[in-house]
Amino acid sequence: MFFKTEKHQRTITIKKDVRDGILSYCKMNHPNECILVLRGKSRKGKILVDGLVIPPFFHTGPTFAGFPHSFLPFDTSYVGTVHSHPSGVAKPSVTDLHNFFGFVSIIIQSPYEDGDVFAYDRDGNLLEVTISSDQS
């Protein structure tokens, strides 16, 4: 017996204060990459990012950022990761795709301004990103 699974087009909404925090964190860490864990909710393909976590024991350099997932405390609100690309190119690398965590990977390209936010699914497909000014 086969079950029909409903496939939803994934959309990403990031709260404005979270987006601003990500951009600031990227600027502070430039010229090194930075990495953060995204917290939020996912329901029927709609992902809301409403918080950030600095991963324990993270490591970064000019061309890499990562962390050992085994040290991340269990939390069902993790929805993905965000990391910067100081090179100014937001396309996910093969390494980015192999280290995919959660539902979404957000890449922030230099110079880390409002229009430099890009989201991808685990296959490297670009996803729609909206910014929510709702602070509740």
Side-chain angles (χ1 to χ4, degrees):
M1 175 182 262
F2 293 97
F3 295 96
K4 184 178 177 186
T5 57
E6 199 172 328
K7 181 125 171 126
H8 298 282
Q9 176 61 36
R10 213 166 261 167
T11 60
I12 314 302
T13 301
I14 306 171
K15 290 200 171 188
K16 185 179 181 307
D17 62 333
V18 172
R19 191 265 330 257
D20 293 348
I22 293 168
L23 295 175
S24 294
Y25 193 71
C26 291
K27 288 176 184 178
M28 287 182 344
N29 287 283
H30 189 81
N32 289 333
E33 284 193 16
C34 67
I35 190 163
L36 296 163
V37 176
L38 303 169
R39 293 181 77 183
K41 299 174 184 78
S42 176
R43 182 170 167 90
K44 294 186 177 180
K46 295 182 189 319
I47 299 171
L48 171 65
V49 178
D50 59 11
L52 300 167
V53 174
I54 297 173
F57 306 111
F58 69 92
H59 50 277
T60 66
T63 60
F64 65 90
F67 65 96
H69 296 183
S70 60
F71 289 102
L72 194 61
F74 179 76
D75 186 334
T76 59
S77 71
Y78 300 147
V79 294
T81 59
V82 58
H83 73 281
S84 62
H85 277 188
S87 66
V89 178
K91 188 138 179 67
S93 67
V94 171
T95 302
D96 292 339
L97 295 174
H98 284 159
N99 291 294
F100 198 92
F101 176 83
F103 301 108
V104 63
S105 177
I106 296 176
I107 297 176
I108 312 297
Q109 70 184 16
S110 176
Y112 319 117
E113 300 299 332
D114 294 351
D116 296 328
V117 179
F118 300 89
Y120 299 90
D121 66 13
R122 72 175 50 256
D123 295 321
N125 298 311
L126 188 62
L127 302 173
E128 179 186 347
V129 177
T130 57
I131 306 302
S132 167
S133 60
D134 177 22
Q135 300 300 313
S136 56

